[in-house]
Amino acid sequence: MKERNVVVLTTGGTIASALDGTGRNASGALSGETLLEHVTLPKDGGVNVQVHSILQKPSNAITLADLLKIHHLCKELANRADVDGIVITHGTDTLEETAYFLDVTLPLEACALVITGSQRAPHEEGTDAFRNIANAITVAADPVMQGWGP
């Protein structure tokens, strides 16, 4: 099987939170590159991952301009022959609104799109952040998922 290429776009949210100086979670504080350093993919998975931090904010602060930015970037990536899948990490407050917006505005033919978030921040005991990212990458890379979106 040929190596699959997945692009991870990070937007912030709990999945990218870190403790601030007061001991509270700072939503979106971690860059995509920092998040991916802790994600473990199967060694024989044949997946090449690129990551781009496009927003670093809580999802309840995402604007229409942000949604359009995400849409245009996803459309550009989905039209590239060397991109098999796209993963968006997102805060859970408005994850479903972003998923719906992309579902009704973004045609996908040869690319998969997966949106994921987490309930626990990366530094919290029992975090689901890294496992959710790894699972999203695995799904986005699967050839069966081509043409499927959020």
Side-chain angles (χ1 to χ4, degrees):
M1 181 163 82
K2 81 170 187 89
E3 184 171 81
R4 307 287 288 172
N5 296 305
V6 174
V7 177
V8 177
L9 306 175
T10 61
T11 64
T14 298
I15 199 165
S17 292
L19 289 175
D20 67 11
T22 67
R24 297 179 64 193
N25 282 342
S27 183
L30 300 176
S31 71
E33 293 76 13
T34 300
L35 280 176
L36 268 289
E37 288 174 6
H38 303 283
V39 172
T40 304
L41 296 171
K43 301 242 185 267
D44 61 347
V47 180
N48 177 41
V49 178
Q50 297 176 20
V51 61
H52 303 283
S53 296
I54 56 171
L55 300 173
Q56 288 189 248
K57 58 171 67 174
S59 68
N60 62 5
I62 289 180
T63 65
L64 180 56
D66 294 331
L67 287 175
L68 291 171
K69 177 180 180 177
I70 295 167
H71 167 87
H72 290 297
L73 187 51
C74 287
K75 186 174 181 180
E76 176 184 312
L77 290 168
N79 286 328
R80 286 181 32 192
D82 64 332
V83 175
D84 300 300
I86 303 166
V87 170
I88 300 172
T89 65
H90 200 287
T92 57
D93 284 348
T94 64
L95 185 149
E96 70 277 8
E97 284 87 351
T98 298
Y100 179 74
F101 174 77
L102 294 174
D103 186 45
V104 299
T105 65
L106 190 65
L108 295 173
E109 294 175 16
C111 183
L113 176 61
V114 179
I115 303 178
T116 192
S118 72
Q119 293 298 302
R120 294 187 182 186
H123 61 273
E124 293 179 324
E125 186 175 336
T127 184
D128 54 335
F130 307 121
R131 181 76 286 165
N132 291 354
I133 296 170
N135 289 341
I137 291 169
T138 300
V139 169
D142 193 315
V144 171
M145 299 307 296
Q146 283 187 295
W148 288 88

